[in-house]
């Protein structure tokens, strides 16, 4: 299969550039992942779905991928929370890491090739600090090791931050940063209290600063830099600037990242999400209101990744309706053409013979290849829906065989990106299931949730869903059920 040429808006140059991976059969992509200390909110989920759109688009374009997302399982927040709850870091982060993977599965995010954890990459981090030390970029203060940004002339290249006003030796050692505040950042923190998690290493007894892990893990997984590095826009400065400083400071002759991609934030009702404003949603909050994961996925990916997405339950409803419109057309094609047994088992590109479909197929792919323009790709999907419905309404039979089969295939191909459409007959019957059994399942789920065993609770919800039973949790803690429509 020939490769589709992509262009990306590279944050490094601030311009759209042709994508030129070193090896299209092994495209290396690294994405900053979650800090595992609570449930991901829907803004986080948006940024993970952006990574999925990138992955699925490149796969459709014929590339082979070698992708990583890190799990930050050590930082200030994790340490503080685990101490508060008298738990080890491992025991504290385990259920949150599982919840993260569960959330990704719920919104059909494809599995990546690697999920390196910070706590399992300490050796690589220590090695990187030693390389930076021998390159003269590190100094020590009160047992902490800092990166001296004034000794690194390329500091600020990525985020275009102005370092000229920076006073020498101004340091920052917290894992949460004030934006635009240019300071030397901590590479390695010494242990401050007995209960704080630490590692005994050649650079001291302590733990890594937050930025260090990504540079070290990229090196550990790939032995070099990467073709693409992604993250939310809030990570551009200082996190990514600091990552670049560490990696280029250690290996000045190598390219660290070919293309930097940054995903814009999600707002709720026009505002930044915050718990105090009551506009803070986790994925689970929205599922518990009875919304379908497919509608959530469709909604969160349908805006361009570089636009702010203004989330509201009303807009989610609109997405649900749009999704149903496409789905109904797919069912119509399957039913009218008796094509239920002709749905491909796996995706393999075909040559389209019907000119309108050929054109829409090209337009769809061109839109994705143009910096992942999903809204434009969706316009082609709705044009497909329009012409297919027109065709079905007119009962034009002369080319019906190939038209319907190829439009089914085109929908199937489009679903390689969206991953929300069904191609099987829906089973609606609750035959053989008693209400008593359903209530027993609901009780078991409640107990699992009380025990913080979220994976069992989610498994029960999913099993019920597969049988056509939807659960809704009220604010008062009562769970109700209904038959899926
Ligand atoms: P964290 O778990 O806080 O480290 O964040 C994980 C990812 O979510 C990072 O790439 C963040 O940039 C991204 N992120 C955080 N808040 C939002 C938001 N409101 N909208 C979109 N992405 C976000
Ligand atoms: Zn990172």
């Amino acid at each position: 299969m020939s490769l589709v040429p992509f262009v990306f808006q590279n944050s490094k140059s601030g311009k759209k550039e042709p994508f030129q991976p070193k090896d299209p059969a092994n495209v290396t992509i690294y994405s900053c992942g979650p800090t595992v200390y609570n449930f991901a909110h829907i803004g986080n989920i948006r940024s993970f779905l952006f990574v999925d759109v990138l992955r699925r688009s490149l796969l459709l374009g014929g590339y082979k991928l070698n992708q990583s997302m890190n799990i930050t399982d050590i930082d200030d927040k994790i340490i503080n929370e685990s101490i508060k709850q008298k738990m080890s870091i491992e025991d504290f982060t385990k259920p949150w890491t599982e919840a993260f993977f569960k959330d990704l599965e719920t919104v059909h995010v494809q599995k990546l090739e690697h999920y390196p954890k910070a706590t399992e990459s300490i050796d690589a981090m220590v090695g990187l600090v030693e390389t930076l030390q021998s390159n003269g970029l590190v100094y020590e203060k009160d047992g902490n090791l800092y990166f001296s940004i004034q000794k690194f002339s390329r500091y600020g290249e990525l985020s275009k931050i102005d370092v000229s006003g920076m006073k020498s030796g101004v340091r920052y050692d917290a894992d949460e940063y004030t934006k635009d505040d240019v300071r030397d950042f901590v590479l390695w923190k010494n242990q401050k209290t007995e209960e704080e998690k630490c590692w005994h290493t050649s650079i001291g007894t302590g733990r890594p600063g937050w930025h260090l892990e990504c540079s070290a893990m990229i090196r550990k997984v790939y032995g070099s830099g990467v073709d693409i590095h992604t993250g939310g826009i809030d990570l551009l400065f200082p996190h990514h600037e600091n990552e670049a400083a560490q990696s280029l400071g250690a290996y000045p002759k190598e390219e660290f990242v070919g293309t930097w991609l940054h995903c814009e934030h999600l707002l709720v009702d026009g505002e930044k999400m915050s718990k105090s404003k009551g506009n803070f949603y986790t994925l689970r909050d929205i599922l518990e209101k009875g919304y379908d994961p497919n509608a959530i996925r469709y909604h969160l990916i349908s805006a361009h990744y570089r636009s702010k997405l203004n989330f509201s339950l009303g807009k989610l409803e609109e997405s649900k309706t749009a999704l149903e419109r496409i789905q109904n057309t797919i069912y119509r094609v399957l039913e009218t053409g008796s094509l239920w047994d002709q749905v491909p088992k796996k995706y393999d590109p075909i040559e389209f013979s019907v000119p309108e479909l050929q054109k829409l197929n090209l337009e769809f792919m061109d839109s994705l290849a143009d910096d992942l323009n999903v809204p434009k790709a969706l316009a082609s999907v709705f044009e497909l829906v329009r012409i297919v419905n027109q065709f079905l309404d007119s009962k034009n039979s002369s080319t019906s065989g190939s038209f319907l089969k190829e439009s089914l295939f085109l929908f199937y191909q489009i679903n390689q990106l969206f991953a929300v459409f069904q191609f099987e007959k829906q089973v609606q019957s609750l035959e053989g299931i008693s209400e008593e059994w359903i209530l027993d399942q609901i009780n078991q789920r409640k107990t699992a949730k009380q025990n913080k065993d979220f994976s069992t609770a989610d498994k029960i919800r999913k099993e019920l869903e597969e049988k056509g039973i939807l659960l809704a949790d009220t604010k008062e803690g009562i769970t109700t059920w209904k038959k899926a429509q």
Side-chain angles (χ1 to χ4, degrees), residues 142-356:
D142 303 330
N144 299 326
L145 299 178
Y146 293 90
F147 185 101
S148 172
I149 67 173
Q150 287 198 328
K151 295 217 171 108
F152 180 67
S153 60
R154 295 176 66 183
Y155 196 85
E157 263 181 24
L158 173 63
S159 62
K160 327 285 180 283
I161 201 93
D162 182 9
V163 295
S164 58
M166 185 210 162
K167 286 197 212 94
S168 175
V170 183
R171 286 171 298 277
Y172 217 106
D173 49 16
D175 285 337
E176 282 191 274
Y177 282 76
T178 329
K179 228 175 146 351
D180 301 338
D181 200 353
V182 186
R183 296 173 180 211
D184 289 342
F185 57 93
V186 70
L187 293 163
W188 188 260
K189 307 187 191 197
N190 71 345
Q191 193 190 20
K192 289 186 188 64
T193 61
E194 283 267 310
E195 48 195 349
E196 224 178 74
K197 170 85 182 170
C198 70
W199 284 265
H200 302 279
T201 74
S202 51
I203 55 170
T205 294
R207 65 176 178 97
W210 168 45
H211 310 297
L212 188 62
E213 64 177 272
C214 293
S215 295
M217 285 193 258
I218 288 175
R219 196 82 196 168
K220 178 175 153 183
V221 175
Y222 300 107
S224 65
V226 284
D227 294 311
I228 302 179
H229 192 317
T230 81
I233 189 72
D234 55 316
L235 300 185
L236 176 60
F237 184 84
H239 181 54
H240 289 162
E241 190 68 57
N242 292 352
E243 263 188 54
Q246 291 162 158
S247 298
L248 295 168
Y251 305 101
K253 295 205 175 79
E254 294 178 27
E255 182 176 60
F256 173 45
V257 171
T259 306
W260 283 96
L261 300 181
H262 288 100
C263 167
E264 253 298 346
H265 265 189
L266 174 142
L267 305 173
V268 173
D269 298 322
E271 293 186 82
K272 195 170 182 283
M273 251 190 294
S274 84
K275 288 202 171 128
S276 58
K277 280 191 202 140
N279 66 355
F280 186 95
Y281 294 118
T282 65
L283 177 61
R284 285 148 203 255
D285 293 335
I286 297 174
L287 292 173
E288 292 189 352
K289 287 183 190 298
Y291 287 95
D292 173 23
N294 285 339
I296 300 171
R297 174 179 169 97
Y298 176 91
H299 183 60
L300 293 181
I301 69 174
S302 57
H304 193 273
Y305 77 92
R306 280 190 295 109
S307 315
K308 286 196 174 61
L309 173 73
N310 193 7
F311 181 88
S312 70
L313 294 177
K315 292 228 175 82
L316 182 56
E317 285 289 343
E318 284 170 24
S319 287
K320 184 167 165 260
T321 309
L323 187 152
E324 280 166 1
R325 198 164 149 237
I326 305 170
Q327 181 66 66
N328 289 339
T329 308
I330 297 174
Y331 283 148
R332 258 191 107 185
V333 171
L334 285 161
E335 196 60 43
T336 314
S338 307
L339 296 172
W340 296 101
D341 59 353
Q342 302 212 21
V343 179
K345 298 277 173 290
K346 73 180 223 333
Y347 172 67
D348 250 326
I350 62 159
E351 291 289 332
F352 289 91
S353 68
V354 179
E356 300 100 297

